[in-house]
């Protein structure tokens, strides 16, 4: 069965600090990987996705993530966070197996950026 | 692009009453559709997913059921709600996943 682990449940950073949120998945086959963000009071939005090709994926608002297949990881990074990045971040994996492509989410990481 | 419509936005129902939450999709055909429940500290729990009309896979045993009577319609139901069914329910379609705005269900 596929699963996703986000080890950091709550992260507090000062503005301009660098960010890295961990995401590890378990699935033996081909995967699509996603990061979603949920700003306070808003619904989930896609931040970036990896389907194939270059394992370094760039998303919106200066975020990027790197797929490391050997480590089953897809960590999210941003060189310099802003107060407006305060939100909850969810990693998700879709295991590609025949016609079933269910998407499984991690438990989320709450990021608080202090001005 | 794909748009997910979900209603109602909020719902308060007594224990033992039935439930029907509807989700419709625009902008794509034959999407994979999903029902998730979001709870604080637990992320998004996949409840059901569907790869086509009449095809439903249940991920967790529960008091809820799902149906897909049309290609772009996905319904979450219950015959008798329990207090533990309270939560925030999200419908989604892919690819990649697009979410509806969710339904906040409170069972009293």
């Amino acid at each position: 069965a596929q699963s996703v682990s986000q080890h950091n449940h709550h992260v507090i950073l000062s503005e301009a600090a660098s960010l890295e949120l961990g995401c590890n998945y378990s699935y033996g086959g081909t995967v699509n990987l996603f990061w979603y963000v949920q700003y306070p009071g808003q619904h989930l939005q896609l931040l970036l996705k990896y389907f194939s090709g270059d394992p370094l994926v760039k998303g919106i608002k200066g975020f990027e993530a790197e797929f490391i297949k050997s480590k089953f990881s897809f960590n999210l990074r941003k060189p310099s966070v802003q107060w407006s990045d305060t939100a909850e971040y969810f990693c998700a994996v879709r295991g590609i197996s025949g016609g079933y492509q269910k998407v499984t989410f991690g438990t989320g990481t709450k990021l608080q950026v202090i001005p | 692009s794909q748009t997910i419509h979900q209603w109602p936005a909020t719902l308060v129902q007594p224990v033992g009453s039935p439930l029907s939450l509807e989700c419709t999709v625009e902008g794509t055909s034959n999407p994979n559709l999903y029902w998730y429940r979001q709870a604080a500290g637990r992320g998004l729990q996949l409840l059901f997913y569907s790869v086509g009309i009449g095809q439903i896979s249940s991920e967790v045993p529960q008091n809820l059921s799902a149906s897909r009577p049309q290609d772009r319609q996905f319904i979450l139901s219950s015959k008798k709600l329990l207090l533990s069914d309270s939560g925030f329910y999200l419908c989604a379609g892919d690819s990649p996943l697009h979410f509806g705005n969710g339904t906040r269900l409170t069972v009293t």
Side-chain angles (χ1 to χ4, degrees), chain B residues 7-83:
Chain B
W7 66 91
T10 59
L11 188 61
V12 180
Q13 293 281 107
V15 167
S17 64
L19 172 74
S20 181
L21 301 182
E22 188 161 346
C23 169
T24 59
V25 183
E26 283 184 6
T28 187
S29 58
N30 197 30
N32 292 337
L33 295 174
Y34 307 81
W35 277 109
Y36 289 90
R37 179 163 54 203
Q38 185 175 17
R42 298 182 62 183
L44 281 79
Q45 181 186 32
L46 179 60
L47 302 176
F48 300 96
Y49 70 101
S50 170
V51 299
I53 295 173
Q55 300 179 66
I56 309 294
S57 294
S58 175
E59 286 297 298
V60 292
Q62 56 203 311
N63 183 45
L64 302 168
S65 62
S67 61
R68 187 165 176 181
Q70 300 180 42
D71 180 47
R72 300 179 190 182
Q73 185 183 29
F74 201 27
I75 299 171
L76 183 68
S77 305
S78 173
K79 292 183 180 178
K80 287 186 179 182
L81 283 169
L82 305 172
L83 285 174

Side-chain angles (χ1 to χ4, degrees), chain A residues 19-21 56 62-66 68 75-79:
Chain A
L19 170 72
E20 181 160 3
L21 301 182
L56 184 61
F63 286 91
E64 66 178 31
E66 184 175 12
I68 302 179
N75 292 355
L76 181 71
R77 300 194 292 249
K78 186 171 183 179

Side-chain angles (χ1 to χ4, degrees), chain A residues 34 36 38 43-44 46 49 51 90 94 99-107, chain B residues 32 34 36 38 42-44 46 49 51 57 59 90 94-97 99 101:
Chain A
F34 310 86
Y36 284 82
Q38 188 169 30
H43 60 272
L44 284 156
L46 181 66
K49 63 183 185 290
F51 282 5
F90 295 92
R94 175 167 56 201
Y100 293 99
Q101 300 182 11
K102 65 179 183 179
V103 181
T104 303
F105 283 79
T107 52
Chain B
N32 292 337
Y34 307 81
Y36 289 90
Q38 185 175 17
R42 298 182 62 183
L44 281 79
L46 179 60
Y49 70 101
V51 299
S57 294
E59 286 297 298
L90 285 162
D94 67 12
S95 126
L97 273 185
F99 287 89
N101 288 337

